[in-house]
Amino acid sequence: MPNVVVVGAGVSGLTTALLLSKKPGYNVTIVAKHMPGDYDIEYTSPWAGANFLPMSDKASCKWEKNTWPELARLAKDVPEAGIHFQDTLVLNRLKDATTATGQWLSELTSPDPWFKNTLPDFRIIPTSALPPTADSATAFTSVCINTALYLPYLTSQCLRNGCTVSRSILAHIADASLLHSSGKKADVVVNCTGLSASKLGGVMDKSVIPARGQIVVVRNEAPHMLTISGTDDGDEEVCYIMQRAAGGGTILGGTYQKGNWESQPDPSTALRIMKRAVELCPELTGGKGVEALSVVRHGVGLRPYREEGVRVEKEMVGGVWVVHNYGHGGSGYQASYGTAEGAVELVDEVVGVKAKL
Ligand code: FAD
């Protein structure tokens, strides 16, 4: 029975562990410094919105495309997962076409994106119905995830399938092979350490940097999820609104600050986030302006941005087989099942290889 240690209890580690635990024969231990319930700047997953707004292009969409069916199934059939469907409006301004944010969101704002036949109800908003801020817009049905419910849900599913979960702080990825609950050396270690992959011994991937996201969580409700191709407050600031399922509050975002490790919310940034959200969606406060926002908390999370994109690869490190699944940037939830499936395939390959040795 192959023994696997998954390092990391964010959305990447828990999803990978869950898929492994569903396969007959795997004995899975999850080891992590941070667990669902913790709020820490080194632990990105609780801070995410989180919704499904594709960022990949047609050439690299497979991780997101393969994730949608499972998120849609959970939203439809599994209310305790804390995921619901939301009508979604994506606004586009011509003046953002050449900016960094505009480029980043170019597939999302395209009238002909790869996901037009994947996400339900995709439509182009007629010019006559556009808000004054936008030059064009699309709409579709997507999902929004209440991370405070979903991360514990994933953990519970792993436990139900027999995974063991424990806390540990690793200095080197190969050390994880000695932490399997059986007491035996693990056959494979899966590395789902997010941004910490840049500092962890045996990995030290310096191409992983933070893309800092500051958010405001409010009690006010929005009629739909909303985002726009840019703001007038510089390339590091973005504007999006999403209402989490099951009382999780509405997330107002945000920022996308590459290379910025600051853990504390900046008050003037928070004010701009709230102002932009209410200007774009006055229904948030029933037309009563920014003062009528009821703030639950301010927050900061660091997206694990990797220039080349997510790393789903296997390699031998210090005599231990390691399968990597990190560097998801702003797409950890919306690419979670796709990348976890990719990681599981690599674990299968390693175990197959070992069996032949
Ligand atoms: P993490 O959640 O950071 O988990 C890493 C795990 O590894 C933790 O358990 C940690 O303790 C453990 N670990 C690390 N180092 C060690 C060590 N040395 N020893 C032991 N354990 C270790 N994504 C979307 O798909 N949709 C969205 O709408 C969205 N919105 C976002 C909004 C904001 C403001 C932010 C900040 C992010 C958003 N994201 C979104 C991105 C998403 O949150 C991340 O891509 C995702 O959370 C990354 O998950 P992860 O499991 O890879 O890393």
Side-chain angles (χ1 to χ4, degrees):
M1 195 167 187
N3 293 328
V4 184
V5 172
V6 176
V7 184
V11 67
S12 309
L14 293 173
T15 310
T16 308
L18 178 59
L19 296 193
L20 283 167
S21 72
K22 285 182 175 173
K23 299 190 79 152
Y26 282 113
N27 190 353
V28 181
T29 297
I30 302 167
V31 173
K33 182 176 179 184
H34 304 95
M35 293 284 171
D38 299 346
Y39 281 87
D40 193 286
I41 197 62
E42 292 181 350
Y43 185 34
T44 311
S45 293
W47 301 107
N51 65 11
F52 188 103
L53 291 188
M55 307 290 170
S56 55
D57 59 19
K58 290 181 178 69
S60 63
C61 67
K62 89 168 175 182
W63 302 133
E64 292 181 333
K65 200 174 196 169
N66 291 348
T67 298
W68 172 256
E70 182 59 7
L71 293 182
R73 184 189 75 80
L74 292 169
K76 184 168 167 283
D77 296 332
V78 188
E80 64 271 29
I83 303 180
H84 66 174
F85 289 111
Q86 288 265 279
D87 195 24
T88 308
L89 184 61
V90 175
L91 304 175
N92 187 36
R93 311 186 306 177
L94 288 176
K95 63 178 167 182
D96 298 322
T98 54
T99 66
T101 308
Q103 296 281 309
W104 174 47
L105 301 177
S106 61
E107 188 72 13
L108 179 65
T109 53
S110 162
D112 184 28
W114 64 260
F115 55 85
K116 71 176 182 187
N117 296 318
T118 302
L119 298 183
D121 313 317
F122 182 87
R123 57 208 188 271
I124 294 171
I125 302 295
T127 315
S128 58
L130 289 175
T133 37
D135 298 301
S136 63
T138 53
F140 47 84
T141 297
S142 184
V143 292
C144 187
I145 302 168
N146 181 345
T147 61
L149 293 181
Y150 184 59
L151 295 170
Y153 167 79
L154 286 176
T155 312
S156 300
Q157 298 301 300
C158 289
L159 290 169
R160 198 190 60 176
N161 291 353
C163 298
T164 309
V165 183
S166 66
R167 297 231 189 205
S168 204
I169 303 176
L170 291 165
H172 195 284
I173 191 66
D175 295 346
S177 66
L178 305 176
L179 297 177
H180 194 268
S181 62
S182 64
K184 295 184 186 136
K185 191 175 177 195
D187 297 278
V188 193
V189 167
V190 186
N191 171 26
C192 301
T193 52
L195 184 56
S196 299
S198 63
K199 298 176 179 170
L200 180 60
V203 188
M204 300 289 271
D205 185 343
K206 292 299 170 198
S207 70
V208 182
I209 59 166
R212 181 179 180 274
Q214 182 168 330
I215 48 142
V216 186
V217 187
V218 298
R219 294 183 183 82
N220 309 65
E221 301 200 338
H224 41 229
M225 291 202 287
L226 193 58
T227 195
I228 188 161
S229 55
T231 74
D232 294 329
D233 296 320
D235 242 352
E236 293 197 322
E237 304 215 4
V238 291
C239 181
Y240 58 85
I241 300 166
M242 62 181 95
Q243 191 181 320
R244 283 173 167 175
T250 300
I251 306 292
L252 311 181
T255 63
Y256 195 83
Q257 298 165 293
K258 283 192 204 163
N260 187 331
W261 292 84
E262 177 54 56
S263 63
Q264 297 307 304
D266 169 59
S268 54
T269 306
L271 200 56
R272 286 197 297 280
I273 289 173
M274 293 190 286
K275 254 183 102 210
R276 286 194 300 255
V278 172
E279 271 166 23
L280 201 62
C281 181
E283 301 97 316
L284 261 177
T285 56
K288 291 184 187 146
V290 75
E291 293 79 11
L293 284 174
S294 172
V295 176
V296 179
R297 65 174 168 274
H298 297 272
V300 173
L302 303 179
R303 303 172 182 91
Y305 174 83
R306 188 167 181 268
E307 185 65 43
E308 286 173 67
V310 59
R311 184 178 182 201
V312 179
E313 280 173 18
K314 65 176 194 287
E315 69 169 331
M316 185 73 94
V317 183
V320 174
W321 271 112
V322 176
V323 169
H324 299 287
N325 182 12
Y326 68 81
H328 294 72
S331 303
Y333 286 84
Q334 62 200 36
S336 57
Y337 286 93
T339 52
E341 279 164 14
V344 170
E345 277 173 28
L346 295 178
V347 172
D348 288 344
E349 279 177 27
V350 168
V351 169
V353 168
K354 283 184 79 104
K356 284 183 201 134
L357 287 177

